[in-house]
Amino acid sequence: QVHLVESGGGVVQPGRSLRLSCAASGFTFTSYAMHWVRQAPGKGLDWVAGTSYDGSYEYYADSVKGRFTISRDNSKNTLYLQMNSLRVEDTAVYYCARYWSPAVTAEVYFDYWGQGTLVTVSS
Amino acid sequence: QSVLTQPPSASGTPGQRVTISCSGSSSNIGSNYVYWYQQLPGTAPKLLIYRNNQRPSGVPDRFSGSKSGTSASLAISGLRSEDEADYYCAVWDDSLSGVVFGGGTKLTVL
């Protein structure tokens, strides 16, 4: 069955960088777009970024544009989120989510989610 | 401040019907499909309703969605204790070229 396992979270100081990974299994990774969604402690869901099946298209929330980069290595069935210039407000559980189609379209169909990895930005 | 507006809380007794609203604008709900996600305590979100009113396989027909203009609603009939969760509406926003979520509604089953 479909498995998404995030890793790479931890405690980091403001201004530093961190890279998250999402290992996918149980499906043909190259057939699906993928996204990152985060949730600050005790807060709601907040979409971060999405990428098409081949990584050729990327979409970002305004709050992370220019600081975060989403990418994927289809040979390793892995999705990444490179986070630079981290801020205290980036503290959250970061989920990777499988999108229903290969391309990112005007829909919000996330059919599988990982369990999340916690990123804490603090001095 | 979320682009989509939901009531922060809702409640009902077992067996009742409750509705959760989601208000947006012409650039999101007014022009795209609405989705609803359920998040049980301590777990990842789960897709509950897609394309305004469609249920994925395995979601009970007690859950239903609707959309009118720039607003949408999630209805839960025959309320059960296991429905106690946070519920989020979500939609693609054409102006932002990205996904927007509502602030979430915490449903309490009394």
Side-chain angles (χ1 to χ4, degrees), chain A residues 35 37 39 43-47 59-60 62 65 95 100 104-111 113-115, chain B residues 32-33 35 37 39 43-47 50-51 56 88 90-92 94 96-99 101-103:
Chain A
H35 290 249
V37 177
Q39 186 170 34
K43 302 297 184 182
L45 301 175
D46 182 32
W47 175 75
Y59 302 82
Y60 297 94
D62 286 344
K65 204 170 292 183
Y95 295 101
W100 73 294
V104 176
T105 63
E107 304 213 41
V108 191
Y109 199 130
F110 301 135
D111 55 3
W113 298 65
Q115 85 290 346
Chain B
N32 293 305
Y33 290 119
Y35 288 72
Y37 288 85
Q39 187 176 32
T43 69
K46 169 192 166 186
L47 180 64
Y50 68 98
R51 291 192 171 184
Y88 297 90
V91 66
W92 181 269
D94 291 335
L96 299 174
S97 292
V99 174
F101 284 96

Side-chain angles (χ1 to χ4, degrees), chain A residues 32-118:
Chain A
Y32 295 88
M34 297 292 294
H35 290 249
W36 289 98
V37 177
R38 67 185 179 182
Q39 186 170 34
K43 302 297 184 182
L45 301 175
D46 182 32
W47 175 75
V48 175
T51 184
S52 57
Y53 73 103
D54 59 356
S56 61
Y57 291 92
E58 301 168 19
Y59 302 82
Y60 297 94
D62 286 344
S63 58
V64 306
K65 204 170 292 183
R67 300 188 299 123
F68 290 11
T69 302
I70 188 172
S71 63
R72 60 193 296 161
D73 185 338
N74 284 347
S75 68
K76 296 182 178 179
N77 287 354
T78 301
L79 176 73
Y80 301 102
L81 185 67
Q82 177 67 42
M83 304 185 294
N84 300 331
S85 303
L86 281 162
R87 305 168 179 168
V88 170
E89 54 265 35
D90 294 319
T91 295
V93 172
Y94 285 73
Y95 295 101
C96 68
R98 192 181 84 166
Y99 194 64
W100 73 294
S101 85
V104 176
T105 63
E107 304 213 41
V108 191
Y109 199 130
F110 301 135
D111 55 3
Y112 289 94
W113 298 65
Q115 85 290 346
T117 186
L118 176 62

